[in-house]
Every structure is written in C-alpha cells, then in structure tokens.
C-alpha cells in the first residue's frame, strides 16, 4: 500500500510539473515546435498614423466681454486624422510628437451651426505595458486652432493658441491599436474675421474651450 501511494504521489507530481511547464510555455507565447519570434528592440523610432472621431462639449467665454454675463455653449463632433512620430526609450516607455487635423460639425447656442476645421499638436509620453497589449499615455497640447465657417448673421470667428491635455488608454494587438482619450483644450485667442459682409479682423481675449472624448484606430509602425 505504501509503495502504491508513493507511485500515485510521484505520478501526481509528474503530472503537475508537466501542466505547469505547458502553462508557462503558453503564457510565454511558445510551444514545442513553434518558432520563437525575435525580441523587440529596446529602443528605436516608431510612426503611428491614425483615424479618429471626436465629440466635445464647447463653450465660448462671452462672459469675458463687457456687459455680457453668460457664456455660450455647444458641441463639436466629427472625424479626423492624426500622426504620432517618436521613439521607444526601452520596451515600455515611449515619447512622441502628436499632431491632429479634424473636420467637425460645430453647433453653439449663439453662433448656431457651421462646418469647422481644426488642428492641434503636442508631445506624448506613455507606457506600453506587458499585459494584453494595454498602453497608457498623456499628451500636453502646445498649440492649435479651430476655424468654423460663418454662423448666425454672417458672424465669423477663428479660435487660436490651443493649450491643454489629453489622457488615454488603448490596446495594441499586432499592427493595430484601438485608443480612447479624454481631452480638455482651451483656445486663448479669438479673432473676429467678419460680420455679415464686413471684414473686421479684430482680435479678442475671449476663450473657447473643448472637453470631450476621442476614439481612434492607430497603426503603429516600428522603423
């Protein structure tokens, strides 16, 4: 009986060791007979073109003008194109320049509805984690503009000097990345370009803000 128990115990230990070895091989992405891919370089440049859709709540800070006590509120939503260019400091951390261009529908309680184009640029720092391709990052937006077409009564304004931030998370699988970001942007300068048929070109210190979400699909390429 003792020898029988020893054989059962030895068989149990052997089976456990085999299962553990198989689990480790699967976790490491390797199995017997499979080709092990070469490790990624610890450092090197990368390029990430992307397409995105954004939806933001907006405010024109008209309360900064004399007499007017309220801000106007609205929304921007629509598609755009983006590009990141930077480098991996090591297998985890990356640093990149980030540029965006968008074409959105702008609606506002006072300005009413208009088509709008915009751009912004900044610097991104992030981390590619080893867990299921998850990555995290933050972007400091350093400049940009938003230029809606003329709105109510032919009033046409452009917003410049964008500043703010984006924070995001995504999943990078093979050559595709799915990303979701929250952005908070303030445009510190407004230029009244025209009112009706009159060209004005008058700068003001009225701020314009955008706060919302950006959903994007990126295509990271290691160079």
């Amino acid at each position: 009986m003792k020898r029988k128990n020893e054989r059962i115990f030895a068989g149990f230990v052997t089976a456990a060791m085999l299962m553990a070895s198989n689990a480790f091989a699967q976790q490491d992405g390797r199995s017997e007979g499979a080709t092990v891919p070469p490790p990624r370089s610890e450092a090197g440049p990368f390029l990430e073109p992307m397409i995105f859709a954004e939806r933001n709540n907006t405010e024109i800070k008209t309360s900064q003008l004399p007499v007017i006590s309220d801000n106007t509120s609205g929304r921007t939503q629509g598609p755009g194109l983006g590009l990141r260019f930077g480098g991996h400091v090591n297998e985890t951390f990356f640093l990149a320049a980030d540029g965006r261009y968008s074409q959105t529908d702008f609606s506002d309680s006072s300005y009413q509805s208009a088509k709008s184009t915009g751009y912004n640029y900044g610097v991104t720092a992030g981390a590619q984690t080893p867990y299921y391709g998850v990555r995290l990052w933050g972007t400091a937006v350093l400049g940009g503009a938003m230029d809606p077409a003329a709105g109510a009564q032919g009033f046409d304004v452009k917003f410049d000097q964008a500043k703010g931030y984006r924070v995001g998370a995504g999943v990078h699988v093979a050559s595709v990345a799915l990303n979701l970001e929250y952005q908070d942007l303030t445009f510190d300068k407004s230029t009244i370009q025209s009112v009706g048929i009159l060209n004005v070109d008058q700068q003001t210190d009225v701020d314009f803000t955008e706060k919302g979400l950006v959903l994007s699909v990126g295509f990271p390429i290691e160079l």
Side-chain angles (χ1 to χ4, degrees), residues 16-97:
M17 290 178 66
L18 288 173
M19 287 188 292
S21 176
N22 183 57
F24 177 80
Q26 291 179 355
Q27 183 179 5
D28 196 40
R30 291 173 290 181
S31 60
E32 187 176 353
T35 301
V36 179
R40 191 179 70 180
S41 174
E42 290 188 356
F46 77 94
L47 190 69
E48 184 179 351
M50 68 182 76
I51 56 175
F52 66 84
E54 62 179 334
R55 183 169 181 171
N56 305 285
N57 293 323
T58 65
E59 277 191 331
I60 303 176
K61 302 290 187 177
T62 48
S63 61
Q64 296 171 338
L65 295 170
V67 182
I68 302 176
S69 59
D70 297 322
N71 298 323
T72 71
S73 60
R75 176 175 295 167
T76 56
Q77 56 185 1
L81 299 173
L83 181 66
R84 287 196 187 117
F85 176 71
H88 288 275
V89 179
N90 52 39
E91 290 186 357
T92 301
F93 298 103
F94 60 87
L95 185 67

Side-chain angles (χ1 to χ4, degrees), residues 12 18 32 36 65 67 77 89 91 99 111 115 134 137 152 166 169 186 198-199 205 211 220-221 223:
F12 175 81
L18 288 173
E32 187 176 353
V36 179
L65 295 170
V67 182
Q77 56 185 1
V89 179
E91 290 186 357
Y111 200 90
K115 295 292 185 180
V134 172
W137 65 88
R166 278 189 292 267
T186 297
L198 299 177
N199 292 324
D205 292 327
K211 298 179 181 180
I221 304 169
L223 303 177

Side-chain angles (χ1 to χ4, degrees), residues 7-223:
R7 286 196 299 270
I8 293 173
F9 179 75
F12 175 81
V13 171
T14 302
M17 290 178 66
L18 288 173
M19 287 188 292
S21 176
N22 183 57
F24 177 80
Q26 291 179 355
Q27 183 179 5
D28 196 40
R30 291 173 290 181
S31 60
E32 187 176 353
T35 301
V36 179
R40 191 179 70 180
S41 174
E42 290 188 356
F46 77 94
L47 190 69
E48 184 179 351
M50 68 182 76
I51 56 175
F52 66 84
E54 62 179 334
R55 183 169 181 171
N56 305 285
N57 293 323
T58 65
E59 277 191 331
I60 303 176
K61 302 290 187 177
T62 48
S63 61
Q64 296 171 338
L65 295 170
V67 182
I68 302 176
S69 59
D70 297 322
N71 298 323
T72 71
S73 60
R75 176 175 295 167
T76 56
Q77 56 185 1
L81 299 173
L83 181 66
R84 287 196 187 117
F85 176 71
H88 288 275
V89 179
N90 52 39
E91 290 186 357
T92 301
F93 298 103
F94 60 87
L95 185 67
D98 186 317
R100 310 284 176 100
Y101 173 80
S102 62
Q103 292 188 336
T104 57
D105 294 319
F106 174 50
S107 60
D108 180 80
S109 57
S110 177
Y111 200 90
Q112 296 185 6
S113 298
K115 295 292 185 180
S116 178
T117 60
Y119 70 90
N120 60 73
Y121 55 88
V123 177
T124 297
Q128 175 71 60
T129 76
Y131 305 107
Y132 307 103
V134 172
R135 57 182 185 164
L136 306 169
W137 65 88
T139 300
V141 176
L142 305 178
M146 177 184 161
D147 189 6
Q153 287 79 50
F155 185 77
D156 192 359
V157 65
K158 180 182 179 183
F159 306 105
D160 290 291
Q161 297 182 357
K163 299 289 188 298
Y165 67 89
R166 278 189 292 267
V167 291
V171 178
H172 180 190
V173 179
S175 60
V176 178
L178 181 63
N179 312 308
L180 181 63
E181 299 170 291
Y182 172 78
Q183 67 178 4
D184 186 338
L185 306 180
T186 297
F187 299 74
D188 290 334
K189 186 180 75 173
S190 303
T191 302
I192 301 173
Q193 298 178 307
S194 63
V195 179
I197 62 173
L198 299 177
N199 292 324
V200 179
D201 197 26
Q202 178 66 47
Q203 292 185 4
T204 75
D205 292 327
V206 173
D207 292 345
F208 173 75
T209 64
E210 278 189 313
K211 298 179 181 180
L213 297 176
V214 183
L215 179 64
S216 66
V217 178
F219 306 93
I221 304 169
E222 292 186 10
L223 303 177

